[in-house]
Amino acid sequence: MAVAQQTRHATSNVKVWGLFKSAFRNGSSSSSMNNHHYDGSLSLREASHPHGSSSVSSVAKSLLPTRRRLKLDPPTKLYFPYEPGKQVRSAINIKNISKSHVAFKFQTTAPKSCFMRPPGAILAPGESIIATLFKFVEHPEDNEKPVNQKSKVKFRIMSLKVNGPMDYVPELFDEQKDQAAVEQILRVVFLDPEHPSPALEKLNYQLADADASFEARKKPPQDSDPKTIGEGLVIDEWKERRERYLAGQQLT
């Protein structure tokens, strides 16, 4: 009798373990299917190659966090001086830390009261730019200063890998929506301009750099080989315009 009971007990344990392993396999399978369903492009690739090694690589990549293409300073917040009824500015340094050319653009939840300069650009590997953000500050309803408090307004920086240097156009992101990535969502924080702080000091320093960079970009590049005639007289822009105007008058 004891032998028979031990045999039945061992048999039941084997059945329970078998059921446990089956449930574990089923759970893993459903979890994997859920992950594939979350990434539509991944499902399409695996449908065409269900047993290929590339599908395993795609699954592994989908589980990894998105690699940053840009380094931001400040990394998560945008600081604005709190001056109700005025247009105030913030600044952020954007650096391409990838090995490819990267396009970026700003988005905001308040496009009527905010704008960016530049709204987007293309950075070469290692290149950086200081962008300026403008915001109109409304008067508070309760007459209290929300200093050092987060505003409801948010900015988002999108990035897109591009093939080599090119002119930036916003349509780049419309044409390659699947390749664009959200680099960071930035919250707005107000600072009291009447009370010095490290954040306010850094903001003023970045704004000065942004203004200098903007003025430098406005200047036309120097022509290393200017056009000359006769005894080396330089044709200036005004003279060229006048000649084009006279030529147009003769044609009419």
Side-chain angles (χ1 to χ4, degrees):
M1 285 293 291
V3 174
Q5 290 179 353
Q6 290 179 357
T7 302
R8 286 196 300 269
H9 182 68
T11 303
S12 63
N13 287 340
V14 171
K15 290 182 179 180
V16 171
W17 173 245
L19 291 173
F20 176 77
K21 289 195 298 181
S22 176
F24 181 80
R25 286 196 298 268
N26 293 336
S28 299
S29 176
S30 62
S31 175
S32 177
M33 291 178 63
N34 290 335
N35 289 336
H36 296 175
H37 179 69
Y38 179 77
D39 188 350
S41 59
L42 179 61
S43 299
L44 291 176
R45 289 195 298 267
E46 291 190 347
S48 59
H49 302 284
H51 300 293
S53 59
S54 61
S55 63
V56 178
S57 175
S58 300
V59 173
K61 289 181 180 180
S62 67
L63 297 177
L64 293 175
T66 303
R67 177 177 294 182
R68 300 288 185 184
R69 301 183 179 114
L70 304 174
K71 181 180 180 181
L72 309 177
D73 183 24
T76 59
K77 300 176 183 177
L78 289 173
Y79 296 97
F80 288 86
Y82 184 71
E83 300 181 47
K86 296 183 180 180
Q87 185 182 78
V88 295
R89 299 187 302 162
S90 182
I92 183 171
N93 186 284
I94 305 173
K95 182 178 181 180
N96 180 5
I97 56 174
S98 73
K99 298 181 180 180
S100 306
H101 282 73
V102 172
F104 76 87
K105 74 171 183 177
F106 284 99
Q107 294 178 331
T108 178
T109 57
K112 293 183 178 180
S113 61
C114 303
F115 71 94
M116 294 68 68
R117 188 179 70 189
I122 294 179
L123 300 177
E127 185 180 3
S128 62
I129 186 174
I130 298 181
T132 308
L133 302 98
F134 299 79
K135 173 177 171 52
F136 182 80
V137 182
E138 300 284 351
H139 286 280
E141 297 180 358
D142 52 4
N143 294 325
E144 292 184 2
K145 292 184 178 181
V147 178
N148 291 328
Q149 293 184 2
K150 294 179 181 178
S151 169
K152 295 181 180 179
V153 178
K154 298 178 183 178
F155 291 84
R156 181 167 66 177
I157 296 183
M158 305 288 296
S159 70
L160 176 68
K161 178 182 176 181
V162 295
N163 296 324
M166 62 180 68
D167 293 332
Y168 171 80
V169 290
E171 289 75 17
L172 285 171
F173 287 86
D174 297 332
E175 297 169 356
Q176 305 181 53
K177 290 182 179 179
D178 296 339
Q179 302 300 323
V182 178
E183 284 288 332
Q184 186 64 52
I185 296 177
L186 303 163
R187 296 182 177 272
V188 172
V189 177
F190 289 119
L191 300 174
D192 189 346
E194 298 178 358
H195 291 79
S197 64
L200 183 61
E201 182 179 357
K202 181 177 180 179
L203 171 60
N204 292 332
Y205 178 80
Q206 286 187 316
L207 286 173
D209 281 354
D211 291 340
S213 299
F214 179 71
E215 292 298 326
R217 290 196 300 269
K218 287 198 307 182
K219 294 181 180 179
Q222 296 181 355
D223 193 351
S224 59
D225 186 20
K227 298 178 182 179
T228 59
I229 59 173
E231 296 292 331
L233 300 177
V234 178
I235 302 178
D236 58 14
E237 183 180 359
W238 178 86
K239 197 170 185 178
E240 287 182 341
R241 289 182 178 179
R242 180 168 179 80
E243 289 177 353
R244 288 197 296 269
Y245 172 76
L246 293 176
Q249 291 294 322
Q250 292 176 359
L251 292 176
T252 56

